[in-house]
Amino acid sequence: MGGCVSHKKNKRYLGVVLFHLSLGCTVSIANAANEQFNDALAAANSGNLTRLDQDAIAMQNDVLGYYPEYFKLNTNLALQPASSIIQFAQKYPNSAMAEKLAADYVEEKVKETNYADAQPVLSYITNPDNAENCAIAQVRAKSGDPLVFAEYKDLWLSTNNNMPDSCMGLNRMMSSSPLMTTEDKQQRLWTQLRAGQIGLAASTAQSLGLNVSIAQLTQIQTNPLGYLWSAPKANDTDYAYLIFALGRLADSDLTAGLTAANRAAEGVPPAVQKYLYRTVAYIGGTTVLKNNFNRIVLNYFDASYGIPFSAEEAEIYARQAIRFGAWDSLIRAISVMGVTQQQESRWQYWLARADEQQADKSYKKQASTLYSDLANNGDDYYNLLAQEKIGQKYNRVDQAEPSADDMQRVNQDINFNRAFALRTIAAPASYANREWNWAVRQAYLKKDDGLLLAAAQKAANMAWYDRAIYAAERTVSRHNYNLRYLTPHQNAVVLHSGNVGLDPAWAYGLMRQESRFVANARSNVGAGGLMQIMPNTAKLVARQMGETYNPAALSDMNTNVRYGTYYLSMIQGQLNGNAVLATAGYNAGPNRALRWQPTDQPIAADQYVESIPLDETRNYVKNVMTNTIHYGAILGQGQQYISKWMKIIPLRSSSE
């Protein structure tokens, strides 16, 4: 190998390494590139700008060569002139870190209320997240864009207490804008009072000329029932205190709040009366974990119909209507949503479900049209439900393959090359995933399915399963379902599923949702491995199986799959053998899944799923059911139908 040179300690750029690899030489990428990238990262973390300058020279021809420059600019980012950010973005156009640098810069400048410096950088941000969007909106508003506030009306009415600072700032900007009408501000005030947001409500009231006192709100909060017994009802300020008091009472004692609502609503204007009912209905609909389901909550939502709903309120109204099969109420709930919200596939599906229950044939015809549109527009959860409604079975196993040219192009694509290089050198996952997601986005925007399939195939070959799935899911017209629904560790999954009587399609469906096949995945609550098993769950399973619990064993793929499938089978047996209940129980705990069962009459599985009161679990069950259908097809089980898995949800036993 006369042309080979050892680079074991040489900090030469990755291009040299790739050249020697092409000659068949054995070289260590980790020592030629990892050392440089990690040196630059360490220098950035310690603020060593001199070292970053050295790394920038050493890495200038490297596929990862822009990182030292990025790290240096990102040091004291707020102190950088806008021209430096723009220069970087122009030097490295359409790159992940140019996008991130620009977005972070705008956020920093907005924190300083320095909108002038942020303005010229906006055009370099093409894929902002929620916080960045709010920062951009503030800059747009300051530049006189009159459309901004209309676009963010739902955000302005949101009562989410975990909103990013940039979104809180946008809300404050909207509050002081003359573009927001008196009606807009009154709706915001009432939602804030309903949510118990004392400071925000007092500020909004002031913008309406109302003297709503923080001290009085605080005093009411200590004894809301006592206040309601003798509450004055003479003016808008009194009505504000009344809404707040009823909301605080319902929040601490829903039964008392539901009982007090009628008395509170006596002798007040119709709009105020309706919002009093809205207040207890919303709180009842969002505290199901504590208070269980209550039909009176839906009655009060119905009583509140006729005044504007926020997006949050409309969704909770709809979910309560779904739970109780109140189809007229559901139609009303969907009718008060904004156009964008209404067009979501979930509400199109539920509108069809409500329409088909009507006696009028025109409604049934509309339901059929909605189902057909959904059935032919994808194969996610609601598409699969709609397909079955019109009698279609599912057996789609598209296997479009990337061409040799596609594979060559992915090897030449700078964005994918950065991602693969970072993965190869075991850089922090946050960098590798960011580059990968950016590369996928660029290919998706160009509808370059061949490039996406090639990237997914290459990632799958190197066991980078989660990113392979991420790319394969985003093809537009050429699809490969073997890549979208990968089946790693198939021998173990089939064996251990079969040992406990589980369909391996379900085990795979759950595993894909839990970990995307990242074997060392760890959740923020301590769950680990392919099937994300909690330590206490593992101890229980080990005891049930007559084994000694060993925490280290959970990191073993085989043990993790064996314990996960055993636990899923165990809770399925506890929950009427029902797959939907067991899936919900795997995520939220079997006791919760049981508590959410109906007590008056059985309900359809889709109603149960849609009314699950935890967002995470509700979406989890939908995704697992969808995955399971696809895996049934992938594993060669023939035509699939989602009702096979989504059986009627039986009554909860009176003894439970």
Side-chain angles (χ1 to χ4, degrees):
M1 302 293 289
C4 294
V5 179
S6 172
H7 293 286
K8 207 168 182 185
K9 294 293 183 183
N10 191 353
K11 292 166 65 177
R12 301 279 298 278
Y13 54 83
L14 185 61
V16 171
V17 178
L18 296 178
F19 170 73
H20 281 82
L21 284 173
S22 71
L23 296 177
C25 305
T26 301
V27 294
S28 172
I29 293 178
N31 285 313
N34 188 13
E35 187 177 342
Q36 292 177 41
F37 176 84
N38 286 332
D39 278 354
L41 181 57
N45 290 336
S46 63
N48 189 338
L49 301 186
T50 301
R51 184 62 174 271
L52 280 174
D53 286 337
Q54 294 170 354
D55 285 326
I57 294 170
M59 296 175 68
Q60 61 184 320
N61 295 318
D62 191 346
V63 70
L64 304 177
Y66 72 168
Y67 272 98
E69 294 177 65
Y70 165 77
F71 290 144
K72 186 174 181 180
L73 285 170
N74 201 47
T75 303
N76 298 319
L77 180 61
L79 300 180
Q80 305 290 344
S83 58
S84 295
I85 310 304
I86 293 170
Q87 184 179 9
F88 184 86
Q90 292 176 342
K91 184 177 180 181
Y92 304 105
N94 300 318
S95 65
M97 302 318 289
E99 165 88 6
K100 178 167 173 54
L101 189 71
D104 288 347
Y105 183 77
V106 168
E107 281 197 88
E108 288 296 323
K109 288 302 175 183
V110 166
K111 287 178 186 175
E112 300 175 349
T113 65
N114 183 348
Y115 303 104
D117 277 0
Q119 175 66 42
V121 179
L122 292 190
S123 61
Y124 296 95
I125 306 172
T126 60
N127 189 34
D129 62 21
N130 187 38
E132 294 159 358
N133 251 325
C134 288
I136 292 168
Q138 287 191 55
V139 179
R140 287 174 55 201
K142 278 294 181 179
S143 68
D145 185 341
L147 300 177
V148 174
F149 295 156
E151 293 173 18
Y152 287 85
K153 183 76 172 290
D154 285 347
L155 177 76
W156 194 62
L157 292 173
S158 172
T159 54
N160 177 9
N161 288 317
N162 297 316
M163 201 176 288
D165 289 342
S166 58
C167 295
M168 295 293 290
L170 178 61
N171 278 343
R172 288 191 293 272
M173 195 178 281
M174 294 173 76
S175 294
S176 60
S177 169
L179 294 177
M180 306 311 292
T181 67
T182 298
E183 290 74 20
D184 290 333
K185 292 178 180 180
Q186 178 178 280
Q187 186 181 6
R188 176 170 162 82
L189 171 62
W190 285 357
T191 59
Q192 290 169 335
L193 291 165
R194 180 256 292 155
Q197 297 175 331
I198 291 176
L200 293 173
S203 176
T204 302
Q206 187 176 22
S207 73
L208 284 165
L210 301 179
N211 185 25
V212 172
S213 160
I214 289 179
Q216 175 71 341
L217 291 172
T218 304
Q219 184 175 349
I220 291 171
Q221 187 166 243
T222 63
N223 184 16
L225 183 59
Y227 178 82
L228 285 170
W229 279 110
S230 57
K233 302 176 180 179
N235 53 50
D236 288 343
T237 300
D238 290 344
Y239 305 146
Y241 290 140
L242 195 64
I243 291 169
F244 179 79
L246 186 60
R248 293 311 84 212
L249 176 61
D251 190 60
S252 61
D253 185 343
L254 180 62
T255 301
L258 294 170
T259 301
N262 284 326
R263 178 178 178 129
E266 291 175 356
V268 300
V272 177
Q273 184 181 81
K274 288 179 182 295
Y275 204 79
L276 287 165
Y277 289 126
R278 174 82 51 80
T279 295
V280 289
Y282 182 86
I283 291 172
T286 52
T287 57
V288 172
L289 278 177
K290 180 172 68 173
N291 297 303
N292 295 321
F293 293 97
N294 190 323
R295 186 62 169 78
I296 299 174
V297 166
L298 178 58
N299 294 342
Y300 281 169
F301 263 125
D302 287 336
S304 79
Y305 182 77
I307 58 171
F309 279 75
S310 70
E312 294 172 339
E313 292 166 350
E315 178 169 333
I316 299 302
Y317 183 16
R319 289 218 302 268
Q320 289 292 304
I322 289 166
R323 173 69 186 199
F324 293 104
W327 306 113
D328 290 343
S329 296
L330 179 55
I331 290 171
R332 285 194 291 271
I334 295 173
S335 76
V336 299
M337 295 176 178
V339 173
T340 301
Q341 192 177 12
Q342 284 183 357
Q343 293 304 313
E344 294 174 14
S345 59
R346 58 175 166 163
W347 301 125
Q348 290 292 291
Y349 172 77
W350 283 109
L351 182 59
R353 284 278 272 123
D355 283 346
E356 72 176 341
Q357 307 299 323
Q358 307 300 310
D360 190 323
K361 290 184 179 179
S362 64
Y363 280 95
K364 292 184 183 296
K365 183 177 180 181
Q366 178 174 292
S368 179
T369 300
L370 290 171
Y371 283 141
S372 294
D373 289 344
L374 279 171
N376 297 313
N377 197 35
D379 50 28
D380 284 339
Y381 178 73
Y382 295 104
N383 308 124
L384 293 172
L385 289 173
Q387 286 172 19
E388 187 146 332
K389 286 288 185 180
I390 61 173
Q392 290 183 8
K393 297 290 179 66
Y394 179 82
N395 189 27
R396 181 174 182 175
V397 192
D398 295 25
Q399 295 186 29
E401 298 288 344
S403 66
D405 178 63
D406 293 330
M407 296 303 297
Q408 184 176 357
R409 287 192 303 119
V410 83
N411 289 331
Q412 296 169 345
D413 184 275
I414 183 64
N415 295 311
F416 280 114
N417 270 345
R418 287 181 180 131
F420 282 121
L422 288 165
R423 172 73 174 183
T424 301
I425 64 176
S430 59
Y431 290 99
N433 288 350
R434 180 179 292 277
E435 292 284 6
W436 182 267
N437 296 352
W438 178 262
V440 168
R441 175 175 166 77
Q442 304 317 299
Y444 169 76
L445 291 174
K446 297 172 186 174
K447 299 183 179 180
D448 192 341
D449 288 348
L451 189 62
L452 288 171
L453 290 171
Q457 185 64 68
K458 186 173 179 179
N461 290 346
M462 59 194 295
W464 200 6
Y465 298 127
D466 62 325
R467 294 305 92 190
I469 291 169
Y470 187 86
E473 282 184 325
R474 282 159 178 78
T475 54
V476 177
S477 56
R478 294 175 58 208
H479 309 300
N480 186 312
Y481 278 65
N482 286 333
L483 289 170
R484 287 192 182 193
Y485 297 92
L486 288 165
T487 54
H489 320 299
Q490 188 169 145
N491 289 341
V493 174
V494 172
L495 172 65
H496 297 311
S497 297
N499 285 344
V500 292
L502 289 183
D503 188 324
W506 185 20
Y508 263 125
L510 185 140
M511 193 184 303
R512 184 183 189 270
Q513 185 60 27
E514 285 286 355
S515 66
R516 283 293 198 274
F517 308 111
V518 177
N520 61 352
R522 288 290 179 275
S523 77
N524 58 2
V525 293
L530 293 172
M531 299 194 76
Q532 289 290 283
I533 301 171
M534 293 289 290
N536 286 340
T537 300
K539 291 176 185 177
L540 170 65
V541 170
R543 189 165 60 247
Q544 292 281 335
M545 298 181 77
E547 298 179 3
T548 301
Y549 172 66
N550 178 4
L554 278 182
S555 299
D556 173 70
M557 175 277 295
N558 195 62
T559 302
N560 198 282
V561 173
R562 188 162 57 89
Y563 279 18
T565 51
Y566 184 95
Y567 180 62
L568 181 59
S569 174
M570 187 175 77
I571 60 176
Q572 183 185 23
Q574 295 171 1
L575 295 167
N576 303 97
N578 189 289
V580 166
L581 292 175
T583 302
Y586 194 96
N587 179 261
N591 288 335
R592 279 179 170 168
L594 184 149
R595 278 182 53 207
W596 299 333
Q597 284 181 246
T599 56
D600 51 352
Q601 61 181 8
I603 60 174
D606 60 352
Q607 290 174 257
Y608 175 90
V609 172
E610 201 68 57
S611 60
I612 289 174
L614 285 174
D615 291 348
E616 177 193 329
T617 304
R618 184 169 60 254
N619 293 326
Y620 177 90
V621 176
K622 293 176 188 178
N623 287 327
V624 171
M625 292 293 99
T626 303
N627 294 345
T628 300
I629 293 298
H630 290 293
Y631 276 114
I634 291 292
L635 294 173
Q637 296 176 358
Q639 287 190 322
Q640 302 294 301
Y641 48 100
I642 200 164
S643 62
K644 168 187 173 182
W645 296 97
M646 299 188 63
K647 303 292 188 184
I648 292 290
I649 305 298
L651 292 177
R652 185 171 77 219
S653 170
S654 58
S655 63
E656 294 170 324

